[in-house]
Amino acid sequence: MPLIIFIISLLIITGFFFLFFKRKKLIPQLQPEKVKELLGGYISFYQKLNEDEKPRFEEGVKAFLLSVRITGIKTRVEDI
């Protein structure tokens, strides 16, 4: 009897982990090369950074875009 309870508990825990990690699937939405181009052309904060700070900011933007799903409601989502 304890073995059956253990197996059922293990299956439930495995199911929760599967659902949790499945939702966090990373979906690349923007090419990394294009991030630098868009930041340099449209973002004044980025333009004011010195050359040592820019790569760190770029990496933060890339990490954000890879981990967050952006969905347009009654609008079209574009890179800009």
Side-chain angles (χ1 to χ4, degrees):
M1 189 66 163
L3 181 61
I4 293 174
I5 293 173
F6 174 76
I7 293 173
I8 291 172
S9 300
L10 187 63
L11 289 174
I12 291 172
I13 292 170
T14 305
F16 280 121
F17 276 114
F18 176 75
L19 291 174
F20 177 74
F21 287 112
K22 184 179 178 185
R23 286 194 318 172
K24 289 200 168 201
K25 186 176 180 183
L26 299 179
I27 302 170
Q29 298 175 357
L30 186 60
Q31 297 298 325
E33 312 84 44
K34 202 164 184 182
V35 169
K36 188 173 183 176
E37 176 186 328
L38 291 172
L39 289 173
Y42 296 97
I43 308 300
S44 62
F45 173 80
Y46 175 81
Q47 294 166 354
K48 293 176 186 175
L49 293 174
N50 64 39
E51 293 304 314
D52 295 331
E53 296 169 328
K54 286 182 179 181
R56 181 174 174 220
F57 187 78
E58 292 166 13
E59 290 304 315
V61 170
K62 290 175 194 175
F64 172 78
L65 291 174
L66 288 173
S67 64
V68 174
R69 175 180 253 168
I70 300 172
T71 305
I73 307 293
K74 295 186 180 180
T75 187
R76 200 170 95 208
V77 177
E78 299 176 356
D79 291 345
I80 189 62

